[in-house]
PDB file of all heavy atoms in Angstrom:
ATOM      1  N   GLY A 141      12.619  58.815  10.426  1.00 96.00           N
ATOM      2  CA  GLY A 141      11.524  57.929  10.797  1.00 96.00           C
ATOM      3  C   GLY A 141      10.189  58.410  10.272  1.00 96.00           C
ATOM      4  O   GLY A 141       9.352  57.613   9.835  1.00 96.00           O
ATOM      5  N   LEU A 142       9.981  59.709  10.296  1.00 97.00           N
ATOM      6  CA  LEU A 142       8.723  60.273   9.801  1.00 97.00           C
ATOM      7  C   LEU A 142       8.648  60.198   8.286  1.00 97.00           C
ATOM      8  O   LEU A 142       7.604  59.859   7.713  1.00 97.00           O
ATOM      9  CB  LEU A 142       8.593  61.721  10.275  1.00 97.00           C
ATOM     10  CG  LEU A 142       7.281  62.444   9.976  1.00 97.00           C
ATOM     11  CD1 LEU A 142       6.090  61.659  10.510  1.00 97.00           C
ATOM     12  CD2 LEU A 142       7.306  63.851  10.571  1.00 97.00           C
ATOM     13  N   ARG A 143       9.755  60.465   7.605  1.00 97.00           N
ATOM     14  CA  ARG A 143       9.762  60.408   6.134  1.00 97.00           C
ATOM     15  C   ARG A 143       9.488  58.983   5.651  1.00 97.00           C
ATOM     16  O   ARG A 143       8.724  58.776   4.699  1.00 97.00           O
ATOM     17  CB  ARG A 143      11.098  60.917   5.591  1.00 97.00           C
ATOM     18  CG  ARG A 143      11.427  62.342   5.993  1.00 97.00           C
ATOM     19  CD  ARG A 143      12.760  62.795   5.412  1.00 97.00           C
ATOM     20  NE  ARG A 143      12.621  63.106   3.992  1.00 97.00           N
ATOM     21  CZ  ARG A 143      12.270  64.289   3.518  1.00 97.00           C
ATOM     22  NH1 ARG A 143      12.028  65.294   4.341  1.00 97.00           N
ATOM     23  NH2 ARG A 143      12.185  64.486   2.219  1.00 97.00           N
ATOM     24  N   VAL A 144      10.096  58.008   6.293  1.00 97.00           N
ATOM     25  CA  VAL A 144       9.887  56.612   5.903  1.00 97.00           C
ATOM     26  C   VAL A 144       8.442  56.195   6.155  1.00 97.00           C
ATOM     27  O   VAL A 144       7.822  55.515   5.325  1.00 97.00           O
ATOM     28  CB  VAL A 144      10.867  55.695   6.655  1.00 97.00           C
ATOM     29  CG1 VAL A 144      10.484  54.223   6.497  1.00 97.00           C
ATOM     30  CG2 VAL A 144      12.292  55.924   6.160  1.00 97.00           C
ATOM     31  N   ALA A 145       7.876  56.614   7.286  1.00 97.00           N
ATOM     32  CA  ALA A 145       6.489  56.251   7.600  1.00 97.00           C
ATOM     33  C   ALA A 145       5.525  56.846   6.578  1.00 97.00           C
ATOM     34  O   ALA A 145       4.555  56.191   6.171  1.00 97.00           O
ATOM     35  CB  ALA A 145       6.142  56.732   9.007  1.00 97.00           C
ATOM     36  N   LEU A 146       5.776  58.075   6.145  1.00 98.00           N
ATOM     37  CA  LEU A 146       4.930  58.692   5.121  1.00 98.00           C
ATOM     38  C   LEU A 146       5.027  57.916   3.805  1.00 98.00           C
ATOM     39  O   LEU A 146       4.011  57.627   3.152  1.00 98.00           O
ATOM     40  CB  LEU A 146       5.338  60.147   4.903  1.00 98.00           C
ATOM     41  CG  LEU A 146       5.065  61.118   6.056  1.00 98.00           C
ATOM     42  CD1 LEU A 146       5.742  62.457   5.775  1.00 98.00           C
ATOM     43  CD2 LEU A 146       3.567  61.305   6.275  1.00 98.00           C
ATOM     44  N   ALA A 147       6.238  57.578   3.417  1.00 97.00           N
ATOM     45  CA  ALA A 147       6.432  56.837   2.162  1.00 97.00           C
ATOM     46  C   ALA A 147       5.759  55.477   2.208  1.00 97.00           C
ATOM     47  O   ALA A 147       5.194  55.015   1.200  1.00 97.00           O
ATOM     48  CB  ALA A 147       7.924  56.698   1.876  1.00 97.00           C
ATOM     49  N   GLU A 148       5.799  54.815   3.370  1.00 96.00           N
ATOM     50  CA  GLU A 148       5.159  53.503   3.493  1.00 96.00           C
ATOM     51  C   GLU A 148       3.647  53.603   3.323  1.00 96.00           C
ATOM     52  O   GLU A 148       3.002  52.623   2.935  1.00 96.00           O
ATOM     53  CB  GLU A 148       5.495  52.902   4.863  1.00 96.00           C
ATOM     54  CG  GLU A 148       6.931  52.405   4.960  1.00 96.00           C
ATOM     55  CD  GLU A 148       7.255  51.852   6.338  1.00 96.00           C
ATOM     56  OE1 GLU A 148       6.457  52.094   7.282  1.00 96.00           O
ATOM     57  OE2 GLU A 148       8.301  51.187   6.476  1.00 96.00           O
ATOM     58  N   ARG A 149       3.077  54.755   3.577  1.00 97.00           N
ATOM     59  CA  ARG A 149       1.637  54.972   3.388  1.00 97.00           C
ATOM     60  C   ARG A 149       1.329  55.547   2.010  1.00 97.00           C
ATOM     61  O   ARG A 149       0.201  55.969   1.737  1.00 97.00           O
ATOM     62  CB  ARG A 149       1.106  55.909   4.474  1.00 97.00           C
ATOM     63  CG  ARG A 149       1.012  55.258   5.838  1.00 97.00           C
ATOM     64  CD  ARG A 149      -0.109  54.247   5.882  1.00 97.00           C
ATOM     65  NE  ARG A 149       0.072  53.315   6.985  1.00 97.00           N
ATOM     66  CZ  ARG A 149      -0.548  52.155   7.077  1.00 97.00           C
ATOM     67  NH1 ARG A 149      -1.380  51.779   6.119  1.00 97.00           N
ATOM     68  NH2 ARG A 149      -0.345  51.349   8.093  1.00 97.00           N
ATOM     69  N   GLY A 150       2.328  55.568   1.128  1.00 98.00           N
ATOM     70  CA  GLY A 150       2.097  56.032  -0.237  1.00 98.00           C
ATOM     71  C   GLY A 150       2.087  57.535  -0.386  1.00 98.00           C
ATOM     72  O   GLY A 150       1.630  58.056  -1.413  1.00 98.00           O
ATOM     73  N   LEU A 151       2.582  58.255   0.607  1.00 98.00           N
ATOM     74  CA  LEU A 151       2.632  59.705   0.561  1.00 98.00           C
ATOM     75  C   LEU A 151       4.028  60.174   0.153  1.00 98.00           C
ATOM     76  O   LEU A 151       4.997  59.426   0.256  1.00 98.00           O
ATOM     77  CB  LEU A 151       2.248  60.284   1.922  1.00 98.00           C
ATOM     78  CG  LEU A 151       0.862  59.870   2.420  1.00 98.00           C
ATOM     79  CD1 LEU A 151       0.670  60.269   3.880  1.00 98.00           C
ATOM     80  CD2 LEU A 151      -0.226  60.479   1.549  1.00 98.00           C
ATOM     81  N   THR A 152       4.133  61.417  -0.316  1.00 98.00           N
ATOM     82  CA  THR A 152       5.394  61.934  -0.830  1.00 98.00           C
ATOM     83  C   THR A 152       5.924  63.036   0.080  1.00 98.00           C
ATOM     84  O   THR A 152       5.365  64.147   0.103  1.00 98.00           O
ATOM     85  CB  THR A 152       5.209  62.506  -2.246  1.00 98.00           C
ATOM     86  OG1 THR A 152       4.647  61.503  -3.094  1.00 98.00           O
ATOM     87  CG2 THR A 152       6.544  62.973  -2.818  1.00 98.00           C
ATOM     88  N   PRO A 153       6.978  62.776   0.846  1.00 98.00           N
ATOM     89  CA  PRO A 153       7.526  63.821   1.712  1.00 98.00           C
ATOM     90  C   PRO A 153       8.157  64.944   0.892  1.00 98.00           C
ATOM     91  O   PRO A 153       8.898  64.673  -0.070  1.00 98.00           O
ATOM     92  CB  PRO A 153       8.591  63.084   2.532  1.00 98.00           C
ATOM     93  CG  PRO A 153       8.279  61.628   2.378  1.00 98.00           C
ATOM     94  CD  PRO A 153       7.660  61.481   1.030  1.00 98.00           C
ATOM     95  N   VAL A 154       7.855  66.180   1.252  1.00 98.00           N
ATOM     96  CA  VAL A 154       8.474  67.342   0.625  1.00 98.00           C
ATOM     97  C   VAL A 154       8.979  68.273   1.715  1.00 98.00           C
ATOM     98  O   VAL A 154       8.664  68.099   2.898  1.00 98.00           O
ATOM     99  CB  VAL A 154       7.488  68.083  -0.309  1.00 98.00           C
ATOM    100  CG1 VAL A 154       7.059  67.162  -1.455  1.00 98.00           C
ATOM    101  CG2 VAL A 154       6.266  68.587   0.457  1.00 98.00           C
ATOM    102  N   ASP A 155       9.766  69.287   1.291  1.00 96.00           N
ATOM    103  CA  ASP A 155      10.469  70.117   2.272  1.00 96.00           C
ATOM    104  C   ASP A 155      10.072  71.577   2.276  1.00 96.00           C
ATOM    105  O   ASP A 155      10.548  72.337   3.127  1.00 96.00           O
ATOM    106  CB  ASP A 155      11.983  70.028   2.019  1.00 96.00           C
ATOM    107  CG  ASP A 155      12.502  68.608   2.112  1.00 96.00           C
ATOM    108  OD1 ASP A 155      12.146  67.920   3.087  1.00 96.00           O
ATOM    109  OD2 ASP A 155      13.244  68.186   1.210  1.00 96.00           O
ATOM    110  N   SER A 156       9.223  71.990   1.352  1.00 97.00           N
ATOM    111  CA  SER A 156       8.943  73.411   1.214  1.00 97.00           C
ATOM    112  C   SER A 156       7.449  73.690   1.125  1.00 97.00           C
ATOM    113  O   SER A 156       6.683  72.897   0.563  1.00 97.00           O
ATOM    114  CB  SER A 156       9.627  73.967  -0.040  1.00 97.00           C
ATOM    115  OG  SER A 156       9.225  75.293  -0.309  1.00 97.00           O
ATOM    116  N   ALA A 157       7.061  74.838   1.651  1.00 98.00           N
ATOM    117  CA  ALA A 157       5.680  75.279   1.507  1.00 98.00           C
ATOM    118  C   ALA A 157       5.333  75.579   0.061  1.00 98.00           C
ATOM    119  O   ALA A 157       4.155  75.646  -0.301  1.00 98.00           O
ATOM    120  CB  ALA A 157       5.446  76.523   2.369  1.00 98.00           C
ATOM    121  N   GLU A 158       6.370  75.763  -0.788  1.00 98.00           N
ATOM    122  CA  GLU A 158       6.137  76.027  -2.215  1.00 98.00           C
ATOM    123  C   GLU A 158       5.881  74.748  -3.008  1.00 98.00           C
ATOM    124  O   GLU A 158       5.588  74.816  -4.205  1.00 98.00           O
ATOM    125  CB  GLU A 158       7.339  76.775  -2.803  1.00 98.00           C
ATOM    126  CG  GLU A 158       7.738  78.024  -2.033  1.00 98.00           C
ATOM    127  CD  GLU A 158       6.566  78.942  -1.724  1.00 98.00           C
ATOM    128  OE1 GLU A 158       5.736  79.172  -2.631  1.00 98.00           O
ATOM    129  OE2 GLU A 158       6.475  79.424  -0.576  1.00 98.00           O
ATOM    130  N   ASP A 159       5.972  73.591  -2.376  1.00 97.00           N
ATOM    131  CA  ASP A 159       5.718  72.306  -3.044  1.00 97.00           C
ATOM    132  C   ASP A 159       4.247  71.928  -3.039  1.00 97.00           C
ATOM    133  O   ASP A 159       3.896  70.789  -3.354  1.00 97.00           O
ATOM    134  CB  ASP A 159       6.545  71.192  -2.380  1.00 97.00           C
ATOM    135  CG  ASP A 159       8.034  71.358  -2.621  1.00 97.00           C
ATOM    136  OD1 ASP A 159       8.417  71.815  -3.712  1.00 97.00           O
ATOM    137  OD2 ASP A 159       8.820  71.052  -1.694  1.00 97.00           O
ATOM    138  N   ARG A 160       3.401  72.871  -2.659  1.00 97.00           N
ATOM    139  CA  ARG A 160       1.949  72.663  -2.614  1.00 97.00           C
ATOM    140  C   ARG A 160       1.561  71.405  -1.821  1.00 97.00           C
ATOM    141  O   ARG A 160       0.862  70.523  -2.320  1.00 97.00           O
ATOM    142  CB  ARG A 160       1.377  72.591  -4.033  1.00 97.00           C
ATOM    143  CG  ARG A 160       1.557  73.864  -4.831  1.00 97.00           C
ATOM    144  CD  ARG A 160       0.879  73.774  -6.184  1.00 97.00           C
ATOM    145  NE  ARG A 160       1.038  75.032  -6.915  1.00 97.00           N
ATOM    146  CZ  ARG A 160       0.544  75.248  -8.130  1.00 97.00           C
ATOM    147  NH1 ARG A 160      -0.134  74.292  -8.749  1.00 97.00           N
ATOM    148  NH2 ARG A 160       0.733  76.410  -8.731  1.00 97.00           N
ATOM    149  N   PRO A 161       2.013  71.335  -0.592  1.00 98.00           N
ATOM    150  CA  PRO A 161       1.694  70.139   0.212  1.00 98.00           C
ATOM    151  C   PRO A 161       0.209  70.047   0.518  1.00 98.00           C
ATOM    152  O   PRO A 161      -0.471  71.063   0.707  1.00 98.00           O
ATOM    153  CB  PRO A 161       2.512  70.356   1.488  1.00 98.00           C
ATOM    154  CG  PRO A 161       2.676  71.843   1.581  1.00 98.00           C
ATOM    155  CD  PRO A 161       2.807  72.324   0.167  1.00 98.00           C
ATOM    156  N   ALA A 162      -0.278  68.810   0.591  1.00 98.00           N
ATOM    157  CA  ALA A 162      -1.663  68.562   0.989  1.00 98.00           C
ATOM    158  C   ALA A 162      -1.790  68.542   2.505  1.00 98.00           C
ATOM    159  O   ALA A 162      -2.896  68.611   3.041  1.00 98.00           O
ATOM    160  CB  ALA A 162      -2.148  67.230   0.419  1.00 98.00           C
ATOM    161  N   ALA A 163      -0.665  68.422   3.202  1.00 98.00           N
ATOM    162  CA  ALA A 163      -0.648  68.409   4.659  1.00 98.00           C
ATOM    163  C   ALA A 163       0.735  68.794   5.139  1.00 98.00           C
ATOM    164  O   ALA A 163       1.725  68.689   4.400  1.00 98.00           O
ATOM    165  CB  ALA A 163      -1.023  67.026   5.200  1.00 98.00           C
ATOM    166  N   VAL A 164       0.792  69.255   6.383  1.00 98.00           N
ATOM    167  CA  VAL A 164       2.047  69.521   7.082  1.00 98.00           C
ATOM    168  C   VAL A 164       2.102  68.575   8.273  1.00 98.00           C
ATOM    169  O   VAL A 164       1.112  68.418   8.992  1.00 98.00           O
ATOM    170  CB  VAL A 164       2.110  70.969   7.593  1.00 98.00           C
ATOM    171  CG1 VAL A 164       3.363  71.194   8.437  1.00 98.00           C
ATOM    172  CG2 VAL A 164       2.063  71.948   6.438  1.00 98.00           C
ATOM    173  N   VAL A 165       3.255  67.945   8.501  1.00 98.00           N
ATOM    174  CA  VAL A 165       3.378  67.068   9.654  1.00 98.00           C
ATOM    175  C   VAL A 165       4.691  67.335  10.369  1.00 98.00           C
ATOM    176  O   VAL A 165       5.732  67.514   9.739  1.00 98.00           O
ATOM    177  CB  VAL A 165       3.267  65.574   9.262  1.00 98.00           C
ATOM    178  CG1 VAL A 165       4.375  65.148   8.307  1.00 98.00           C
ATOM    179  CG2 VAL A 165       3.264  64.694  10.507  1.00 98.00           C
TER     180      VAL A 165
END
Side-chain angles (χ1 to χ4, degrees):
L142 186 55
R143 301 181 76 88
V144 168
L146 292 170
E148 286 178 346
R149 287 289 161 197
L151 302 169
T152 304
V154 298
D155 301 313
S156 172
E158 308 311 316
D159 292 325
R160 297 184 178 180
V164 174
V165 62

